Amino acid sequence: AILELVAELQGCAVTAETELGDLDFDSLAYAELAAAAEGRFGLVLPEDGVKGLEVVSDLVALARMARANEGDDGTPDEGGVDVAARALPRGLGRLQRTSDVVGGSLLRWWFRISVHGREHMPAEGPAILCMNHESWLDIPVAVIASHRRISFMAKQELFRSRVGGFFLHEMGGFRVDRDAFDLKAIRLALTVLARGEVLGMYPEGTRKPGVLLPFLPGAAWLALRTGAPLVPMAIRGTDVARPRGQRVPKRVPIDVVLDPPIEVQPVDDPVKRRAEAEELTHRLRAVFDRLLAGQPGSAPG
């Protein structure tokens, strides 16, 4: 049954020996598999970062292990695809507004932060705020630029420091393991959107100051899964203000530009959703090329 499900979701024939790398099987594909397995078989696959999966038979073994861990009544011990009913981590983002009030004025003055297009942030409802990534300053700058609370998806390497991890959590950041099938992070992202809140994402996945890297399809996939619009936010100046290795940020101007939201219709078919996510990602990347070139305000095509 798992073999048939993988073949259906990937849109091609597979065997137990088919390598996951050949299928471009990533965290998004794992999320599709987990949702389908639970919906059809009541089977809850592990959601914490799963590593070491190389061939399809590894997925079968994972499913068998999940089945063995079910409760005595045949129901899963935990999990659930009803993300709307899930709670966010305790205290996530609780100091975001306080930090904006207390430190926002200082940051605005020190960096002479200018924000254009603030009206493009939807006043209510779910939205995926997509930002280019230049520096750790991007998070407080985004908080200042947005009139709504944001929950950020951030790479787990940023949480290695106890103090840094605490700061990120209090500012609304939750970790994602980019080197594993991190279903937990995806479910948290879906929970944020199901609650009608704003999810902050960096489509580049990592940062290289001064260079706009290729975009990953995660933000587009979440938009197509939920119907939440993509809101582009281009940030310029944080790489100069806080270059790597410099403790005291330079006093330089920081410009923030929000573009009109890219409206998205939800797509139910997983194969079509993955294909459209690639196309939508290219559209999103083109918007940032335009914004960072100093051409804001045009509605995306």
Side-chain angles (χ1 to χ4, degrees), residues 27-28 31 47-49 83 86 88 152-156 174-178 180-192 199 201 221-222:
S27 292
L28 301 182
E47 69 172 12
D48 286 333
V83 294
R86 287 178 167 234
L88 294 175
F152 295 89
M153 181 180 286
K155 59 184 181 181
Q156 73 166 8
F174 62 91
R175 69 184 71 200
V176 56
D177 187 346
R178 299 173 301 166
F181 298 112
D182 196 344
L183 180 59
K184 183 175 183 179
I186 293 175
R187 279 180 167 157
L188 279 175
L190 290 170
T191 297
V192 171
L199 174 68
M201 296 188 69
W221 182 88
L222 286 166

Side-chain angles (χ1 to χ4, degrees), residues 16-79:
E17 290 74 33
T18 300
E19 294 189 5
L20 298 179
D22 293 338
L23 298 175
D24 292 327
F25 195 93
D26 56 12
S27 292
L28 301 182
Y30 182 68
E32 298 278 20
L33 176 64
E38 183 171 353
R40 296 189 189 183
F41 315 132
L43 183 66
V44 178
L45 297 180
E47 69 172 12
D48 286 333
V50 178
K51 299 183 179 182
L53 304 182
E54 298 181 354
V55 295
V56 174
S57 62
D58 292 333
L59 294 173
V60 177
L62 198 67
R64 286 175 175 154
M65 183 170 59
R67 181 66 82 196
N69 289 334
E70 287 181 344
D72 294 335
D73 59 354
T75 59
D77 288 333
E78 58 182 349

